[in-house]
Amino acid sequence: MPTSPSSSAQAAQKAVADRLRELMLDAGLQGQELAALCGWNAAKTSRIINAKTAPSDSDIRAWCAACGAEDQAADLIAKSRAADSMFLEWRRMERTGLRAAQESVRPLYERTQRFRAYAPWILPGLVQTRGYTTAILSAIRDRRGLVDDVPAAVEERMARQRVVHDGNHRFVLLIEESVLRSGLGGPEVMALQLRHLLTIGRLPTVSLGVIPFRSDRERAWPVEGFWIYDTAQVSVELVSGYLTVTQPSEIAMYGRAFAELGELAVHGAKARQLITNALDSLD
């Protein structure tokens, strides 16, 4: 597993590494001695201890056996797997195409009651039009050289949007004004998308905020796009991977960032005016 750029994933990886080091020291072993007992090079022990290489399940079992702590193996394996799942590389999630990646999050959307989303560069998937989604997923397919299942992936995302209208769901969306003027998909696609956003923003279940351009933005600077699902999970889309945050302290950090960004946003008629201005600029 590559080292994640996320502090959450790094912390989870390091916690496993620190516990393995403690077991080694408690057993009175040095790195070279443990390596010999496990049948690998001492450099591997060093990489694991320093969280530069994530141990495999068999590595953890061998390590615990060498330390006389076989009863610790199952728990450490579970923690290591959890750390691995926090950061999922795009090439792993999308190896069978984009549709599978879209389908994988449907259960999460269906069970979440309160969605909070911050969009610094593209509109959230739940408010995208078919044309806008097609443009985005087509670009992702081409950039990553993926299986061409864009039409099926678009259908899955469109089907998932039913949570906006059905069930007990609430949505709080914060969108940077620059997103409204990104031009993704071309003028016709953007025009339809902006009109759709005006409609979605009037739904009683949706709170739509737009963070306007300003010359004196000294706080709440733009950050990576993220979703907060209730208070149980945060999902972040990075260039290199898909990050899932479940640590309460880090979920709280995203919650505070969302609140700070929300203080800069305008809502209601003012937000609709910014969307209309972007729409008019397409003419």
Side-chain angles (χ1 to χ4, degrees):
M1 179 180 66
T3 301
S4 166
S6 157
S7 57
S8 295
Q10 287 178 336
Q13 293 167 4
K14 191 173 186 303
V16 173
D18 288 348
R19 182 57 185 148
L20 290 172
R21 180 176 181 276
E22 290 171 3
L23 290 178
M24 182 184 71
L25 295 178
D26 289 345
L29 298 173
Q30 297 298 317
Q32 289 184 339
E33 295 171 320
L34 184 135
L37 290 171
C38 293
W40 60 56
N41 189 284
K44 177 175 178 177
T45 299
S46 177
R47 291 196 301 270
I48 291 175
I49 287 175
N50 290 290
K52 295 184 181 300
T53 297
S56 66
D57 292 359
S58 60
D59 291 339
I60 293 174
R61 292 190 187 98
W63 191 297
C64 290
C67 297
E70 291 91 340
D71 60 328
Q72 300 287 313
D75 181 63
L76 281 168
I77 288 172
K79 289 179 179 178
S80 183
R81 289 178 179 177
D84 184 54
S85 68
M86 291 178 71
F87 187 78
L88 183 59
E89 292 179 79
W90 291 123
R91 62 177 177 270
R92 291 169 56 195
M93 185 170 67
E94 297 170 345
R95 64 176 49 155
T96 59
L98 288 163
R99 180 180 181 179
Q102 297 297 313
E103 290 176 337
S104 68
V105 297
R106 183 186 285 199
L108 174 62
Y109 279 63
E110 292 177 344
R111 68 174 177 265
T112 298
Q113 292 186 319
R114 185 189 182 206
F115 296 79
R116 285 174 285 172
Y118 167 66
W121 46 71
I122 62 173
L123 290 168
L126 286 178
V127 299
Q128 292 176 5
T129 62
R130 185 179 299 274
Y132 191 90
T133 296
T134 299
I136 291 171
L137 295 186
S138 295
I140 292 173
R141 174 204 61 203
D142 296 341
R143 181 186 308 152
R144 299 177 186 149
L146 303 175
V147 174
D148 187 7
D149 65 346
V150 168
V154 171
E155 289 302 323
E156 172 60 28
R157 180 169 289 185
M158 294 298 103
R160 198 169 68 216
Q161 289 182 356
R162 71 174 184 272
V163 299
V164 178
H165 305 279
D166 300 337
N168 185 27
H169 306 285
R170 295 293 181 270
F171 305 86
V172 184
L173 309 178
L174 296 178
I175 300 168
E176 295 282 350
E177 184 180 358
S178 57
V179 176
L180 307 177
R181 297 174 179 271
S182 64
L184 286 175
E188 292 185 6
V189 167
M190 279 302 302
L192 288 174
Q193 176 62 72
L194 293 173
R195 293 189 184 101
H196 179 65
L197 191 60
L198 287 170
T199 300
I200 290 291
R202 293 181 180 275
L203 294 176
T205 57
V206 176
S207 171
L208 175 61
V210 178
I211 302 174
F213 291 125
R214 53 190 301 169
S215 59
D216 61 344
R217 187 165 173 173
E218 298 179 353
R219 61 187 179 86
W221 293 352
V223 296
E224 68 271 18
F226 61 87
W227 282 88
I228 306 176
Y229 303 94
D230 291 326
T231 58
Q233 176 177 322
V234 175
S235 294
V236 187
E237 292 189 2
L238 306 174
V239 172
S240 58
Y242 183 83
L243 172 68
T244 298
V245 176
T246 57
Q247 186 173 324
S249 62
E250 293 222 6
I251 292 174
M253 288 177 62
Y254 277 98
R256 289 193 295 272
F258 191 85
E260 292 172 359
L261 289 161
E263 291 177 358
L264 301 180
V266 296
H267 298 78
K270 291 183 178 180
R272 290 192 293 273
Q273 186 60 58
L274 290 178
I275 298 171
T276 300
N277 292 345
L279 182 60
D280 291 342
S281 72
L282 296 172
D283 295 335

